[in-house]
């Protein structure tokens, strides 16, 4: 679990620092230079992500009932699956210039919040919480701070982008739900 804790703190900490303290972030970026700052940020974030994955994998090697913080609401797995579909569509919408991005302002963070929150709804082991909670906190902080700062996408919306986001989101959802989850993670989502 130590790697999971370090990963959560590294990944969550770097992102929360950048979101919550833009003045400090910009000052550090000015002192280091943009490329070194981006390199440092990327290395810390990537290291955090690697530690999260390694720590979570190690935690799954133990007994399934170990370290249960709360009983996951397993009966809500169908809601989780529906929320995941929306999450993938919103993550896809964040890369285009569609109406979804214009209306929601921050579809990537909303998608991440749906992904993390829906997984926390049905999973209550300590490792699950340490994996998904940093993403939930970072996503919520980004949404809140973006709204408070009035951050808006500056583009003319195109329906084509929304169609691509929906199609890509559905395809990715199907791949993750019925391919990656059951065969790579060994955690079937249906049945």
């Amino acid at each position: 679990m130590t790697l999971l804790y370090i990963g959560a703190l590294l990944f969550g900490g770097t992102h929360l620092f950048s979101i919550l303290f833009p003045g400090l972030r910009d000052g550090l970026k000015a002192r280091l230079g943009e490329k070194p700052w981006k390199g440092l940020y990327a290395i810390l974030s990537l290291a955090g992500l690697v530690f999260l994955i390694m720590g979570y994998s190690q935690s799954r090697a133990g007994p399934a009932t170990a370290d249960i913080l709360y009983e996951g609401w397993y009966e809500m797995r169908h809601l989780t699956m529906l929320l995941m579909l929306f999450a993938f569509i919103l993550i896809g919408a964040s890369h285009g210039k569609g109406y979804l991005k214009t209306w929601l302002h921050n579809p990537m963070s909303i998608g991440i919040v749906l992904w993390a929150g829906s997984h926390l709804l049905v999973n209550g082991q300590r490792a699950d919480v340490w994996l998904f909670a940093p993403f939930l906190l970072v996503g919520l902080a980004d949404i809140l701070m973006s709204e408070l700062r009035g951050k808006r996408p500056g583009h003319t919306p195109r329906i084509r982008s929304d169609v691509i986001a929906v199609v890509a989101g559905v395809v990715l959802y199907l791949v993750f739900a019925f391919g990656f989850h059951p065969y790579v993670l060994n955690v079937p989502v249906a049945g």
Side-chain angles (χ1 to χ4, degrees):
M1 291 288 288
T2 302
L3 286 178
L4 189 59
Y5 298 150
I6 293 169
L9 293 174
L10 263 178
F11 184 83
T14 54
H15 283 78
L16 287 174
F17 172 78
S18 183
I19 293 166
L20 298 176
F21 304 107
L24 290 173
R25 175 199 64 208
D26 293 344
L28 192 55
K29 188 191 307 184
R31 266 185 259 127
L32 293 174
E34 186 161 348
K35 286 185 180 181
W37 161 254
K38 285 182 177 181
L40 177 64
Y41 189 86
I43 288 168
L44 290 174
S45 296
L46 185 59
L49 194 57
V50 168
F51 286 142
L52 274 172
I53 293 167
M54 289 171 53
Y56 188 73
S57 296
Q58 288 175 356
S59 74
R60 291 182 43 124
T65 57
D67 287 331
I68 294 178
L69 296 179
Y70 60 90
E71 283 297 320
W73 201 2
Y74 187 70
E75 294 78 17
M76 298 302 287
R77 67 189 179 281
H78 295 92
L79 175 61
T80 294
M81 290 179 71
L82 178 63
L83 291 174
M84 286 306 304
L85 175 61
F86 292 139
F88 277 111
I89 291 170
L90 292 178
I91 291 168
S94 71
H95 298 292
K97 295 181 178 181
Y99 288 92
L100 286 172
K101 190 171 186 175
T102 301
W103 293 331
L104 298 174
H105 306 155
N106 207 337
M108 173 68 85
S109 291
I110 296 170
I112 296 295
V113 165
L114 289 176
W115 170 76
S118 65
H119 279 78
L120 286 170
L121 181 67
V122 295
N123 298 295
Q125 289 184 330
R126 182 182 312 276
D128 296 316
V129 172
W130 276 91
L131 176 66
F132 296 113
F135 289 96
L136 180 66
L137 291 174
V138 166
L140 289 172
D142 190 42
I143 293 165
L144 177 65
M145 296 311 289
S146 292
E147 288 301 312
L148 289 175
R149 293 180 184 129
K151 183 179 170 186
R152 301 289 182 263
H155 64 266
T156 303
R158 291 180 262 169
I159 193 71
R160 180 177 183 268
S161 289
D162 292 319
V163 171
I164 292 170
V166 170
V167 171
V170 169
V171 169
L172 283 173
Y173 169 79
L174 293 172
V175 167
F176 272 81
F178 303 106
F180 182 77
H181 231 275
Y183 297 109
V184 174
L185 297 179
N186 199 25
V187 180
V189 294

